Amino acid sequence: MRLICCHQLCLFILAAERNRGARGVACIACTISGIAISGPILQSAGRGDITPSSYHERNQHTTNMSTEDPACAAADLETDTADDNSEEEEEEEEEEEEYAKKVKSVQENPAFYTDAAAYWNNVPATVNGMLGGFAHINAPDICGSETFLQSIFKMKNAPGHGRAVDCGAGIGRITKHLLQKHFGKVDLVELCQSFLDRAKESLKNSHKVGEYMCQGLQHFAPDPSTYDVVWSQWVLGHLTDEDLENYFRRMARGLKPNGVIVVKENVTSSGIVELDEQDSSVTRPESLLLEIIDKAELRVIKNTKQNNLPKGLYEVKMLCLRPK
């Protein structure tokens, strides 16, 4: 997806901490990027914390017991700690289950797509808009993609340089700075007409651009044997799991011999799917992304981490896929 801030995880953690009665934590990345988190500015730490008053009560209770029987006091303290840990684990499991249900419910709602379209229709057609306020990562992003693409061209049975498609092209940032340098023709697929209009203006002097297609990726179906490379970056979180699998299958049919699908996406470190209700998207753990790829009868032939991005953002993985 184009919005790359990790604030959805931050919001989930804050909500969980509030439910526990803790004071919570504030996400440095979100604070820097100017994302407002509802509720008070929270100051202190995390999951195992207790309030000063309860700490005093427990400490007093322990002190009294230790005066009477130190061994008993130690045993009771160990029991209290084990019980607390068990309760916290149960609460965490319940919260994760409820959160997973919420994510599934949101994805099954048709508004998952209409809300995303409404969000992006109000985003400025600029590099900063495409990158969620992180325009400064444009250069390292393009540099990482250039290196990755060059490594693909060095493979045995490498794809050709004839035609590529930029899926979720936005204003044509990747086409302009990367794809048109390597392919005879590049098509752009983008849901927002205002972004495509900006791309046309930006690429008006390029003879490398083929078609501009205004449609969502859940509907994009290229003709068979059309593309050497299908490039999808920071956009697949706007597809449901089922639609993503079907998207991969259609892209595979659209590949020329030796063609590849390139995926460049954020992945979570939490092991769960994280929902961004602001732009109506999800960020998947790498394990789920790989599972969907496997279901779509694709194999991963390259898997590389994007380097030189600021701390506090999601890990970004670049995958090169081919049909099995």
Side-chain angles (χ1 to χ4, degrees):
M1 70 195 75
R2 288 181 289 266
L3 182 67
I4 60 173
C5 180
C6 62
H7 69 279
Q8 52 264 60
L9 173 58
C10 177
L11 292 175
F12 173 56
I13 294 173
L14 287 175
E17 297 298 341
R18 290 195 189 102
N19 289 339
R20 290 192 178 92
R23 288 186 179 140
V25 292
C27 175
I28 294 174
C30 293
T31 303
I32 292 173
S33 61
I35 295 173
I37 299 176
S38 60
I41 300 300
L42 305 172
Q43 305 174 29
S44 69
R47 190 161 286 159
D49 282 7
I50 50 179
T51 64
S53 60
S54 64
Y55 176 83
H56 174 76
E57 291 166 4
R58 179 173 293 181
N59 190 51
Q60 184 64 44
H61 174 61
T62 304
T63 302
N64 291 340
M65 286 192 304
S66 62
T67 302
E68 300 168 5
D69 187 343
C72 179
D76 284 353
L77 185 57
E78 288 179 2
T79 301
D80 287 347
T81 302
D83 288 344
D84 288 346
N85 290 339
S86 178
E87 289 176 4
E88 287 177 358
E89 289 174 0
E90 289 178 2
E91 289 175 2
E92 183 178 351
E93 289 177 1
E94 290 175 1
E95 287 164 359
E96 288 183 357
E97 288 176 3
E98 288 301 313
Y99 188 73
K101 290 178 182 177
K102 179 181 179 180
V103 172
K104 183 177 180 180
S105 175
V106 169
Q107 284 189 299
E108 290 175 347
N109 191 325
F112 181 69
Y113 287 114
T114 57
D115 288 351
Y119 172 85
W120 287 107
N121 280 329
N122 288 292
V123 170
T126 63
V127 171
N128 202 46
M130 299 301 96
L131 295 177
F134 291 87
H136 57 285
I137 74 164
N138 180 60
D141 166 55
I142 295 297
C143 182
S145 296
E146 173 73 32
T147 301
F148 189 65
L149 186 56
Q150 291 282 13
S151 73
I152 292 172
F153 286 134
K154 293 176 181 178
M155 296 188 311
K156 184 179 180 180
N157 299 321
H161 294 262
R163 197 176 196 97
V165 59
D166 186 353
C167 294
I171 61 172
R173 180 182 69 92
I174 297 166
T175 293
K176 182 175 183 177
H177 298 291
L178 177 70
L179 299 180
Q180 70 166 346
K181 298 178 181 180
H182 295 280
F183 298 94
K185 288 293 179 184
V186 182
D187 297 333
L188 288 79
V189 183
E190 170 56 47
L191 178 64
C192 298
Q193 186 61 55
S194 62
F195 294 170
L196 277 184
D197 292 341
R198 181 69 184 88
K200 290 176 182 178
E201 176 64 24
S202 177
L203 295 163
K204 63 183 179 181
N205 295 322
S206 174
H207 64 280
K208 296 289 192 72
V209 178
E211 296 183 61
Y212 293 92
M213 292 171 270
C214 187
Q215 59 181 297
L217 296 187
Q218 69 271 30
H219 303 303
F220 177 52
D223 293 332
S225 302
T226 300
Y227 296 114
D228 295 288
V229 171
V230 174
W231 191 280
S232 308
Q233 178 169 344
W234 285 329
V235 67
L236 300 183
H238 285 294
L239 296 177
T240 66
D241 291 354
E242 182 180 357
D243 283 345
L244 179 56
E245 179 184 339
N246 291 331
Y247 166 81
F248 281 141
R249 291 182 183 277
R250 294 194 305 274
M251 296 310 104
R253 289 193 291 270
L255 293 177
K256 293 179 180 179
N258 295 332
V260 298
I261 299 168
V262 174
V263 171
K264 187 168 185 177
E265 288 290 329
N266 299 335
V267 293
T268 70
S269 59
S270 63
I272 63 173
V273 178
E274 293 164 16
L275 174 66
D276 186 342
E277 295 186 81
Q278 184 182 28
D279 73 348
S280 192
S281 69
V282 296
T283 304
R284 297 175 174 92
E286 185 175 357
S287 58
L288 177 57
L289 181 58
L290 294 176
E291 180 182 324
I292 295 171
I293 289 169
D294 183 64
K295 286 182 179 178
E297 300 297 324
L298 297 171
R299 58 189 176 97
V300 179
I301 55 177
K302 282 185 176 292
N303 185 340
T304 303
K305 178 182 176 181
Q306 166 72 47
N307 295 318
N308 301 319
L309 295 181
K311 292 182 179 180
L313 301 183
Y314 280 117
E315 182 178 65
V316 177
K317 299 304 289 286
M318 297 179 284
L319 310 177
C320 181
L321 316 176
R322 266 190 174 143
K324 292 181 178 179

